[in-house]
Amino acid sequence: VDRLAASSPSRLALGVFVVGIAFFTLLLATPISSATGEWTSLHDAMFTAVSAVCVTGLTVVSTATHWSFFGQLVMIIAVFVGGLGILTLASVLSLAVTKRLGVRGKLLAQQSMNTAASGKLGEVGSLLRIVITTSVIIQGILALWLTIRFWTYGEGLWLGLWHGIFYSISAYNNAGFTPHSDGLVPYETDALLLFPLMIGMFIGSLGFPVIMVLLKYRFHTRKWNLHTKLTLVTSGLLVVGGTLAWGLSEWNNNATIGQMSVGDKLLHSLFASVMTRSGGFNLVEMDDLHPATMVFTDALMFAGGGSASTAGGIKVTTIAVMFLAILAEARGTPQVQAFGRRIPESTMRVAISVLAMGASLVMVGTIALLASYPSATLDHAVFESISAFATVGLSTGLSGELPPAGKYVLIGLMFMGRVGTITFATALAMRHRRQLYQFPEERPIIG
Amino acid sequence: VDRLAASSPSRLALGVFVVGIAFFTLLLATPISSATGEWTSLHDAMFTAVSAVCVTGLTVVSTATHWSFFGQLVMIIAVFVGGLGILTLASVLSLAVTKRLGVRGKLLAQQSMNTAASGKLGEVGSLLRIVITTSVIIQGILALWLTIRFWTYGEGLWLGLWHGIFYSISAYNNAGFTPHSDGLVPYETDALLLFPLMIGMFIGSLGFPVIMVLLKYRFHTRKWNLHTKLTLVTSGLLVVGGTLAWGLSEWNNNATIGQMSVGDKLLHSLFASVMTRSGGFNLVEMDDLHPATMVFTDALMFAGGGSASTAGGIKVTTIAVMFLAILAEARGTPQVQAFGRRIPESTMRVAISVLAMGASLVMVGTIALLASYPSATLDHAVFESISAFATVGLSTGLSGELPPAGKYVLIGLMFMGRVGTITFATALAMRHRRQLYQFPEERPIIG
Ligand SMILES: [K+]
Ligand SMILES: [K+]
């Protein structure tokens, strides 16, 4: 595995995901997975498998009613495996980039593994062990809390345990599937249930490189590396900004939170802000949102979470680097800098590339959706495309209405958004080579 | 003027435009400008004045029926003055940046003025003279051709002359106003009318720095500077790509070109592609377009034309630099390069800033439109916002339906899109300063 990961990490990533998706598609299509005991159509089974493995949360059939208990179990195992797969693959790829570039400020994993873990497993094996252990512990604690909470709702021990585990995996892996037919709506004012879900989702969305730094240095902020600082600051700003924007534009919307108490309004706004960037749980219908809120939501979904996390989107560090470049330009400083560190030009170019790739995928996806299903409105097509690309899982309901061709478009977007962005950014970073000659400089006029 | 232009070029630009808009608003509001001899409301008069001075072409009242001949004359003079104003201001600002940065590959104007023009007028005065002379000659030739064409349609000499001058100014300045109530629809298959309009508009959209290089070096492509090469190549690719995309997605749309001959279909596709990037003339209704075509149109409008031209948008060189940065990243070359020249990091940062500013303006504009007029659909609000920001002037009809508040939103977008992007990019480029210390390098993970 070490050798394969070193020689062609991107191909390994793609291969693992394709095999995993094929396996879960097959399992979900069989009669034992459906509530009625019938075969599920290939496009619906594949859509659900991709949505689960890519921790998206979009559905074309009701999770609560279409699938049998076995089907739901397959789904949540697919989420668990998919989430772990993404975390490890992203970490492996970061490791490969770090080794290739030989940069200072290496991925923390490399250091901690060299000291803590035995050398026998190899770097990748040690990394896998750290990722799996940490993830399982976090999900276990969250599942325990949620089980107790559902138990107090009178669900009984076994059902409570099942729901606790399901929601825990769904939250930490930023999947957003719900086993209840009404989702979380019955619990929409229960802070004791919603806060643990938000915290689990937020931790999952930070990404493993950040989680490892936090585990090692806790809140000794001066020891944090640049990546951790940028991820936490940007995530925090997006959560606060998203809460304000969502709250302000929905405050008097009677279809959503207009009639609620101020406390519930704030809880809803915070929940929506946290979930929009990749979580995918929702308390209100997307179609009831004010059109302006839909635009904010599109933007937040596109932004996404942390690198090498279970969250999707173009990632918060991409946005941070772009913003820092603009800030440097506005201040007239010759280098892009943050927290006393200089960010090299090539990082900025990777950021532009990731942004351009994301925007292109969403645009092509939107056009393909409109072509396959002309009665879709543009705002719904854009929303569903971004939700799929950024593996968010919020939906205006369009996914369920689409003909098979449209579902395959979303399947492609989920896969590209999940596996594509990671391998793409890695492939770019791996390609850096030296150039012996330098052309004379010339500036075209911009703007 | 030289001293003011050198000390605070951006403030000069803003001042000149605000005064010009106030003047034309006043003229258009007076009874003599309207067909009925009544006062025109402030928001409609201001909207028309801003649309004319910013060479946008969006209308809230019919150009053909609402205004008197005097009103139409005021409008086309506003377009002529506004177009010249943008060309000269943009050139003056480029000059200021060139002087400030002392870069190689200076703006050609500086060289040609130092040799050709007398020193008495000063640099800015000479530049003005070159810009005005060239613009008037091009518009004169175009007007002559169009007059003959309208004359052969049996319009009579004087009406033909009026329409010839009106369309000539409207085309070269990328304004897109039409004095006919049906616009160009009656001439939709007349290549002898449409091609001159397209050529005039395309020349106007290249920008003065490119026109001057072409005038001096003709087609000795090896002497062209980087800016000229990037502008022409990108514009060419966008015209061809836009024609293909538009043609393919409308080919069988019976509401637009579905029933036409192959030749007319191609003519329509080419015309739409050329006009979409800033021209603003249209042969088909925007609302009849396939939803996918609307998305292409949004993207092309946002892209726009050349720097320091009468076209709007984020400009083709901005897109070219971003694309080159991505290409460099994909190839793994450490520098962004094109045509044997290296593009410095700061140019890339200006490009990111202009893109981010454009995207933010369109997003804020869209949200403001939806807030002021909740019955607007998202696709219409996005379309109208981009059309205003990029001073394109194509419309789904939303402009005319908006309440005054919504009209002021579009007024703000047109002004910011026209004057804002130019002064913004200049202000950024003017700020470059040296930094004596350098921080250690650290790479956050992207994507
Ligand atoms: K999700
Ligand atoms: K225009």
Side-chain angles (χ1 to χ4, degrees):
Chain A
V1 179
D2 263 12
R3 209 177 305 155
L4 186 58
S7 65
S8 59
S10 307
R11 223 173 305 163
L12 176 70
L14 291 173
V16 169
F17 269 87
V18 168
V19 170
I21 286 166
F23 174 73
F24 285 110
T25 301
L26 207 68
L27 271 185
L28 286 172
T30 49
I32 186 175
S33 293
S34 78
T36 56
E38 286 162 21
W39 285 85
T40 299
S41 66
L42 181 66
H43 49 85
D44 287 340
M46 189 189 281
F47 191 100
T48 308
V50 171
S51 183
V53 171
C54 295
V55 294
T56 306
L58 281 175
T59 52
V60 282
V61 294
S62 164
T63 307
T65 59
H66 177 85
W67 305 107
S68 63
F69 173 77
F70 179 79
Q72 293 178 356
L73 191 65
V74 168
M75 278 176 70
I76 205 66
I77 291 173
V79 169
F80 183 77
V81 172
L84 274 185
I86 285 149
L87 289 177
T88 44
L89 277 167
S91 305
V92 168
L93 293 176
S94 304
L95 204 65
V97 171
T98 309
K99 286 175 83 172
R100 175 79 168 74
L101 290 178
V103 290
R104 268 164 290 170
K106 291 185 180 184
L107 188 69
L108 189 73
Q110 217 174 1
Q111 300 164 26
S112 47
M113 282 178 321
N114 288 344
T115 53
S118 77
K120 283 186 186 169
L121 276 168
E123 281 185 334
V124 175
S126 306
L127 187 58
L128 258 163
R129 213 179 55 181
I130 299 178
V131 170
I132 293 176
T133 315
T134 316
S135 296
V136 169
I137 290 174
I138 297 174
Q139 291 176 73
I141 296 171
L142 185 58
L144 189 66
W145 177 276
L146 294 174
T147 300
I148 295 169
R149 192 69 200 142
F150 284 117
W151 197 7
T152 60
Y153 271 111
E155 284 202 348
L157 179 59
W158 294 111
L159 193 61
L161 182 66
W162 164 236
H163 285 157
I165 293 172
F166 195 103
Y167 274 106
S168 166
I169 294 176
S170 192
Y172 174 76
N173 292 294
N174 277 241
F177 287 109
T178 58
H180 294 101
S181 53
D182 292 338
L184 289 166
V185 177
Y187 317 102
E188 65 176 348
T189 57
D190 180 6
L192 286 177
L193 182 68
L194 298 184
F195 266 100
L197 285 177
M198 283 192 267
I199 292 167
M201 210 150 232
F202 187 75
I203 293 174
S205 79
L206 291 177
F208 222 73
V210 172
I211 291 176
M212 281 198 292
V213 168
L214 289 180
L215 285 177
K216 187 165 182 187
Y217 297 120
R218 310 290 161 104
F219 290 94
H220 298 289
T221 53
R222 286 177 55 193
K223 291 189 176 173
W224 289 357
N225 61 9
L226 180 61
H227 180 76
T228 301
K229 290 177 186 166
L230 286 181
T231 302
L232 286 174
V233 169
T234 313
S235 297
L237 288 176
L238 286 176
V239 166
V240 173
T243 305
L244 288 176
W246 200 94
L248 286 176
S249 61
E250 291 299 313
W251 203 260
N252 295 315
N253 183 350
N254 287 334
T256 57
I257 59 169
Q259 310 277 12
M260 295 183 183
S261 71
V262 172
D264 285 346
K265 282 180 177 182
L266 292 175
L267 182 61
H268 268 251
S269 304
L270 178 65
F271 191 83
S273 176
V274 171
M275 292 307 155
T276 296
R277 282 191 310 110
S278 184
F281 286 138
N282 60 304
L283 300 176
V284 299
E285 291 294 319
M286 293 302 116
D287 256 344
D288 291 339
L289 294 176
H290 187 280
T293 318
M294 293 274 282
V295 180
F296 291 130
T297 304
D298 285 338
L300 280 174
M301 291 196 298
F302 189 69
S307 298
S309 79
T310 49
I314 59 169
K315 306 291 164 19
V316 291
T317 39
T318 306
I319 292 165
V321 167
M322 302 282 244
F323 177 78
L324 290 168
I326 294 171
L327 197 70
E329 202 50 42
R331 283 184 174 164
T333 49
Q335 42 183 301
V336 179
Q337 55 201 31
F339 301 111
R341 289 286 182 280
R342 180 168 51 85
I343 297 170
E345 185 185 335
S346 59
T347 301
M348 220 164 72
R349 283 193 266 141
V350 177
I352 298 180
S353 306
V354 169
L355 175 76
M357 187 209 178
S360 307
L361 278 176
V362 168
M363 204 175 127
V364 170
T366 302
I367 290 171
L369 279 188
L370 290 171
S372 75
Y373 187 61
S375 54
T377 58
L378 181 66
D379 53 342
H380 283 192
V382 168
F383 191 96
E384 218 79 5
S385 291
I386 296 182
S387 181
F389 159 75
T391 65
V392 176
L394 295 174
S395 176
T396 58
L398 180 62
S399 295
E401 298 169 21
L402 289 171
K407 288 175 183 168
Y408 287 114
V409 170
L410 290 180
I411 287 173
L413 277 176
M414 291 191 280
F415 186 77
M416 289 300 296
R418 182 73 279 170
V419 192
T421 44
I422 297 174
T423 52
F424 178 70
T426 311
L428 291 184
M430 294 289 277
R431 266 169 189 266
H432 285 287
R433 52 187 161 97
R434 298 188 192 288
Q435 195 168 11
L436 295 174
Y437 53 92
Q438 208 176 22
F439 289 124
E441 183 179 301
E442 192 175 333
R443 293 166 190 264
I445 307 168
I446 299 290
Chain B
V1 180
D2 263 12
R3 210 177 304 154
L4 186 58
S7 67
S8 58
S10 306
R11 225 173 303 163
L12 176 70
L14 291 173
V16 169
F17 270 87
V18 168
V19 170
I21 286 166
F23 174 73
F24 286 110
T25 301
L26 207 69
L27 271 184
L28 286 172
T30 51
I32 187 175
S33 293
S34 79
T36 57
E38 286 163 19
W39 285 86
T40 299
S41 66
L42 180 66
H43 49 85
D44 287 341
M46 189 189 282
F47 191 101
T48 309
V50 171
S51 182
V53 171
C54 296
V55 296
T56 307
L58 281 176
T59 54
V60 282
V61 295
S62 163
T63 308
T65 59
H66 177 87
W67 305 107
S68 62
F69 173 77
F70 179 79
Q72 292 178 357
L73 191 64
V74 167
M75 277 176 70
I76 204 67
I77 290 172
V79 169
F80 183 76
V81 172
L84 275 184
I86 284 148
L87 288 178
T88 46
L89 277 168
S91 304
V92 167
L93 293 175
S94 302
L95 205 63
V97 170
T98 309
K99 286 175 82 173
R100 174 79 168 71
L101 290 178
V103 288
R104 270 164 289 169
K106 290 184 181 183
L107 188 66
L108 188 72
Q110 218 174 359
Q111 299 164 26
S112 46
M113 284 179 319
N114 287 345
T115 53
S118 76
K120 284 185 183 167
L121 277 168
E123 279 184 337
V124 175
S126 307
L127 187 58
L128 258 163
R129 214 180 54 180
I130 299 177
V131 170
I132 294 176
T133 315
T134 315
S135 296
V136 169
I137 291 174
I138 297 174
Q139 291 176 71
I141 295 170
L142 186 57
L144 189 68
W145 177 276
L146 294 175
T147 301
I148 295 170
R149 192 69 201 143
F150 284 117
W151 198 8
T152 60
Y153 270 110
E155 283 203 349
L157 179 59
W158 294 111
L159 192 61
L161 182 65
W162 164 237
H163 284 160
I165 293 173
F166 195 103
Y167 275 107
S168 165
I169 294 177
S170 192
Y172 174 75
N173 292 294
N174 278 241
F177 288 111
T178 58
H180 294 100
S181 54
D182 292 339
L184 289 168
V185 176
Y187 315 103
E188 65 175 349
T189 58
D190 180 4
L192 287 177
L193 183 66
L194 298 184
F195 266 100
L197 285 176
M198 282 193 267
I199 292 167
M201 210 150 233
F202 187 74
I203 292 174
S205 80
L206 291 176
F208 222 73
V210 172
I211 292 177
M212 281 198 292
V213 168
L214 289 180
L215 285 176
K216 188 166 180 187
Y217 297 119
R218 310 292 161 101
F219 290 94
H220 298 291
T221 52
R222 287 178 55 191
K223 292 189 174 173
W224 289 357
N225 60 10
L226 179 61
H227 180 76
T228 301
K229 290 176 186 166
L230 286 181
T231 303
L232 286 174
V233 169
T234 315
S235 297
L237 289 176
L238 285 176
V239 166
V240 173
T243 305
L244 288 177
W246 200 94
L248 285 176
S249 61
E250 292 300 312
W251 202 261
N252 294 316
N253 183 351
N254 286 334
T256 58
I257 58 169
Q259 309 277 13
M260 295 183 182
S261 70
V262 172
D264 286 347
K265 282 179 177 182
L266 292 175
L267 181 62
H268 268 250
S269 304
L270 177 65
F271 192 83
S273 176
V274 171
M275 292 306 155
T276 297
R277 280 188 314 112
S278 183
F281 286 137
N282 60 304
L283 299 177
V284 299
E285 291 294 319
M286 293 300 117
D287 256 343
D288 292 339
L289 294 176
H290 187 281
T293 318
M294 294 274 281
V295 181
F296 291 130
T297 304
D298 285 338
L300 281 174
M301 292 197 297
F302 189 69
S307 297
S309 79
T310 49
I314 59 169
K315 305 292 165 18
V316 291
T317 39
T318 307
I319 292 164
V321 167
M322 303 283 246
F323 177 77
L324 290 169
I326 294 170
L327 197 69
E329 201 49 43
R331 283 185 175 164
T333 50
Q335 40 183 310
V336 178
Q337 55 203 31
F339 300 112
R341 290 285 181 279
R342 180 166 50 85
I343 298 170
E345 183 184 339
S346 60
T347 301
M348 220 164 71
R349 283 193 266 141
V350 177
I352 298 180
S353 306
V354 168
L355 176 76
M357 186 207 180
S360 308
L361 277 176
V362 168
M363 203 176 130
V364 170
T366 302
I367 290 171
L369 279 188
L370 291 170
S372 74
Y373 187 61
S375 53
T377 57
L378 181 66
D379 53 342
H380 284 190
V382 168
F383 191 96
E384 218 79 4
S385 291
I386 295 181
S387 180
F389 159 74
T391 67
V392 176
L394 295 174
S395 176
T396 57
L398 180 63
S399 296
E401 298 168 23
L402 288 172
K407 288 175 184 170
Y408 286 114
V409 169
L410 290 181
I411 287 174
L413 277 177
M414 290 191 280
F415 186 77
M416 289 300 296
R418 182 74 276 173
V419 192
T421 44
I422 296 175
T423 53
F424 178 71
T426 312
L428 291 183
M430 295 289 277
R431 267 170 188 265
H432 285 288
R433 52 188 162 94
R434 300 190 189 288
Q435 198 170 7
L436 294 174
Y437 52 93
Q438 208 177 23
F439 290 124
E441 183 178 301
E442 192 175 335
R443 296 165 188 263
I445 307 168
I446 300 290

